[in-house]
Amino acid sequence: MNQLPDLAELIDASHVVTLPMNVQFRAVRHREALLLEGPAGWGEFSPFLEYGPAEAAAWLRAAIEASWEGYPDPVRTSVPVNATLPAVDPGRVAGILSSYDAAHTIKVKVAEQGQDLAQDVARVAEVRRLFPEAAIRIDANAGWNHDEAMAGLEALAEYRLQYAEQPVDGIDGLARVRQEVARRGLGVLIAADESVRKESDPLAVARAQAADLIVIKAQPLGGVRRALEIVRDAGLPAVVSSALDTSIGLRQGAALAAALPALPYACGLATGSLFSSDITTDRFLAVGGELQLRAITPDPSLLRSHAVSAERRSWWHRRLAECHRELLRKMG
């Protein structure tokens, strides 16, 4: 990206929406997002509310890339995706996973605040009972300390985990867990997610031998092209995931997954089913366990019905301005 659009142009091109969710996810029940309509299409800017300008600026860069530059050429026309199961009671597992038409791979949230390991085991056990042939991966979102992570992986390894995503915080913490997993012979691969959010982190993960694979997201890494560079330099297998995106943001993630030279794992891009509504009547949902690449265009009536209040729109425009200044500063 050689030149940024003017701030006024971005504000004029923006639509700020709030979407209701079917189930609480990361303590979120309504997801806010700023959508940009540019000359190349639509982009999404939706950093979580607690992120400051330094971190959120990469998300804006990704949105501008999508809406002003478009995507690089794909090497595949469809992307396999996993089902995502929030940290719910076992009795709700079947109902939530029924919204996925082909749950060949299932990511199960664990280490939820206020829950214990017994609840995690019960949840994973129910998934394995219902889907005996599925690939099961767990995601702790760095919610465990070292001892908790090892206890959790010991207890859950018997359910044939594909991998464990970010069991602990930090690159050093991941490296310790990975070493101990190998020493105990648990056979669980370790994936880095939160430790790959900043542009320099993937290389540090690789150098520290802290993970067997990395989980990447188009928005936090600054867009599809920048994420492709990071995967190339890290030299680790990559799983593309979403950040509770609208169909627009999911399309950005699919563009990244479609452009990767290799895609050994199903991607976490089926989270559109966690929303009870979206900004398009033709939602970007999986068919047969895959997302088919296609253009996503919001419906004007849905943009209006899901529009945030004037106060929230002003808040997002201020945030847009802060991140725009941050990008200008980084560029020069």
Side-chain angles (χ1 to χ4, degrees):
M1 188 183 307
N2 297 321
Q3 187 173 358
L4 288 178
D6 292 337
L7 176 60
E9 188 177 2
L10 292 176
I11 290 176
D12 287 344
S14 68
H15 303 262
V16 187
V17 298
T18 179
L19 299 180
M21 301 192 66
N22 291 319
V23 64
Q24 181 170 301
F25 201 89
R26 279 193 54 154
V28 174
R29 291 307 298 260
H30 285 80
R31 183 76 164 108
E32 292 185 350
L34 185 149
L35 306 178
L36 292 174
E37 182 180 11
W42 287 81
E44 177 170 333
F45 170 60
S46 57
F48 291 105
L49 301 183
E50 66 269 22
Y51 290 2
E55 188 170 3
W59 300 59
L60 178 57
R61 176 176 170 174
I64 294 172
E65 175 197 53
S67 50
W68 259 258
E69 295 184 67
Y71 303 121
D73 292 336
V75 299
R76 58 188 63 84
T77 59
S78 65
V79 176
V81 293
N82 65 260
T84 299
L85 181 69
V88 297
D89 294 335
R92 299 185 62 193
V93 169
I96 291 175
L97 293 181
S98 68
S99 64
Y100 295 90
D101 68 340
H104 50 72
T105 306
I106 303 168
K107 179 164 80 168
V108 183
K109 292 291 183 177
V110 297
E112 184 86 351
Q113 188 172 3
Q115 297 187 7
D116 59 24
L117 179 56
Q119 291 169 289
D120 292 335
V121 172
R123 185 179 312 113
V124 173
E126 179 65 0
V127 173
R128 178 54 75 206
R129 185 186 73 81
L130 293 170
F131 299 90
E133 301 304 319
I136 297 178
R137 54 184 71 160
I138 61 169
D139 182 7
N141 288 119
W144 284 326
N145 61 34
H146 180 82
D147 291 341
E148 291 168 339
M150 295 314 305
L153 295 177
E154 284 268 15
L156 295 170
E158 67 175 275
Y159 298 102
R160 307 193 317 275
L161 301 182
Q162 185 181 56
Y163 61 75
E165 187 173 321
Q166 201 71 43
V168 296
D169 189 29
I171 294 173
D172 292 342
L174 281 181
R176 285 186 62 212
V177 167
R178 184 168 181 258
Q179 291 167 4
E180 184 63 14
V181 164
R183 190 187 72 80
R184 298 188 190 187
L186 297 181
V188 179
L189 299 179
I190 301 300
D193 180 9
E194 279 81 358
S195 293
V196 190
R197 293 290 172 84
K198 297 183 175 62
E199 294 186 12
S200 61
D201 281 349
L203 307 185
V205 166
R207 285 193 297 269
Q209 299 183 351
D212 299 285
L213 60 145
I214 56 176
V215 180
I216 58 173
K217 297 176 172 65
Q219 285 202 70
L221 292 180
V224 173
R225 291 170 178 82
R226 178 58 183 141
L228 290 173
E229 293 173 358
I230 288 170
V231 173
R232 180 199 64 204
D233 293 344
L236 291 172
V239 178
V240 180
S241 186
S242 69
L244 291 185
D245 301 337
T246 75
S247 285
I248 297 297
L250 291 174
R251 181 60 179 87
Q252 292 173 210
L256 171 55
L260 284 170
L263 195 67
Y265 297 97
C267 295
L269 296 171
T271 50
S273 62
L274 297 176
F275 292 89
S276 56
S277 185
D278 207 331
I279 44 73
T280 174
T281 55
D282 189 15
R283 299 168 65 177
F284 199 38
L285 301 175
V287 177
E290 295 192 342
L291 287 173
Q292 303 293 327
L293 291 190
R294 57 184 174 86
I296 302 295
T297 303
D299 183 275
S301 64
L302 290 174
L303 288 177
R304 289 192 297 269
S305 64
H306 290 304
V308 297
S309 66
E311 179 182 2
R312 291 304 298 164
R313 185 168 59 252
S314 295
W315 185 90
W316 275 95
H317 286 170
R318 289 194 298 272
R319 192 181 204 196
L320 178 65
E322 292 171 347
C323 291
H324 189 263
R325 285 195 296 271
E326 183 70 16
L327 287 180
L328 288 174
R329 184 188 65 80
K330 289 181 177 180
M331 292 176 64

